[in-house]
Amino acid sequence: MAQKKAALACSTCGSRNYTITLGQHQRVERLELKKFCKYCGKMTLHRETK
């Protein structure tokens, strides 16, 4: 069975910089992490997209 993937998009500029593989369990809320955005040049909040 193929792994499901989701992208993490920057909340400031909207670029999709990171991808993650989704696990077996379902989350109610979308994942939010502080990661470095190479387009903004700083640490910003990245949110999970489909």
Side-chain angles (χ1 to χ4, degrees), residues 15-48:
S15 62
R16 294 179 177 172
N17 300 322
Y18 298 95
T19 58
I20 57 170
T21 56
L22 300 175
Q24 294 291 332
H25 60 284
Q26 294 291 331
R27 289 189 303 273
V28 177
E29 300 174 355
R30 292 190 177 187
L31 183 66
E32 294 182 348
L33 298 171
K34 271 197 120 172
K35 296 187 84 60
F36 183 79
C37 178
K38 62 182 180 180
Y39 300 105
C40 296
K42 58 186 173 182
M43 296 288 285
T44 59
L45 186 66
H46 282 68
R47 294 192 178 126
E48 177 185 347

Side-chain angles (χ1 to χ4, degrees), residues 1-18:
M1 189 167 106
Q3 294 279 332
K4 288 191 177 183
K5 293 184 180 179
L8 295 179
C10 177
S11 61
T12 306
C13 67
S15 62
R16 294 179 177 172
N17 300 322
Y18 298 95

